Amino acid sequence: MKTKQMFPGLKKLLLPLRPTTGSPDIEATRARGLFLQPAIAMTTRHRSLVDFLGQVSLFEGLGRGDLARLARIVHERDCADGETICEEGRPGAALFVVRRGVVEVVSRAAGREAPLALLEPPASFEESAAIGKEIIRWFSVRARGPVSLLALGKSDLDALTVNCPLLASKVLIRLAGIMAMRLQMLIDAEILREAEEPGGPKP
């Protein structure tokens, strides 16, 4: 029997179709790899920041003491409806976690804006920014209604490495694992996209 795969925080993945082939375009297949998250057991939502952090895939498996330390260094940010959180074409500044509300991921393609995904708690995005990789974004993220976010930047992780090296190591290992998994999903999605194109994959 197949078990249903769960993707915490992914409210909806929007897949714009190609007018010629009827298959998802490259932005949509890349979105799958970027935002689908590893399955974790979800419990009822708790009000405290420490309990919430325990639901985030990146911090899965950390003890309550470690989560409390993280709660002291993350930055909380509130966004109004329609406010841009990340802008396409600019490098990432921090890792974000959606604490409350819903954010929309969009990308410009062929002169128009294409919706890619809707993310809700406890989804995270921009993971590479937390380790200082100034990768130019190929997507924008904006608030859909009032939104509360948690942010963790490279300087925060650097400070954690100095003050709590064991905890920093756990977070970095988990971060590397998530990024590797998403990279593999991107590669698989691209191979599938090429296979569905007329003529099959290129040699």
Side-chain angles (χ1 to χ4, degrees), residues 3-33:
T3 53
K4 186 176 180 181
Q5 197 171 20
M6 300 297 292
F7 301 106
L10 180 66
K11 184 174 185 180
K12 187 176 182 182
L13 186 65
L14 309 173
L15 298 177
L17 299 180
R18 286 181 170 181
T20 54
T21 65
S23 61
D25 65 18
I26 182 61
E27 306 300 338
T29 52
R30 290 169 72 189
R32 286 189 180 278

Side-chain angles (χ1 to χ4, degrees), residues 87 96 99 110 118 136 175 191 196:
E87 190 170 349
F96 291 100
R99 189 177 186 192
L118 297 178
I136 301 300
L175 183 59
I191 292 173
E196 290 177 346

Side-chain angles (χ1 to χ4, degrees), residues 49-143:
L49 179 55
V50 172
D51 286 331
F52 174 77
L53 289 174
Q55 299 177 20
V56 178
S57 297
L58 179 58
F59 308 127
E60 182 184 16
L62 294 181
R64 193 166 183 83
D66 285 341
L67 293 172
R69 292 184 185 94
L70 286 171
R72 290 195 289 269
I73 67 171
V74 295
H75 309 279
E76 298 194 56
R77 171 182 170 184
D78 293 326
C79 300
D81 182 26
E83 183 176 341
T84 298
I85 301 162
C86 300
E87 190 170 349
E88 185 173 349
R90 295 187 176 181
L95 155 72
F96 291 100
V97 178
V98 183
R99 189 177 186 192
R100 284 187 293 272
V102 176
V103 301
E104 179 182 33
V105 184
V106 299
S107 180
R108 290 190 298 271
R112 64 183 180 85
E113 195 173 76
L116 298 181
L118 297 178
L119 307 178
E120 64 180 5
S124 62
F125 55 96
E126 289 282 77
E127 284 88 354
S128 61
I131 56 176
K133 296 295 183 185
E134 293 190 357
I135 299 173
I136 301 300
R137 300 187 194 96
W138 56 272
F139 60 89
S140 297
V141 181
R142 68 169 63 102

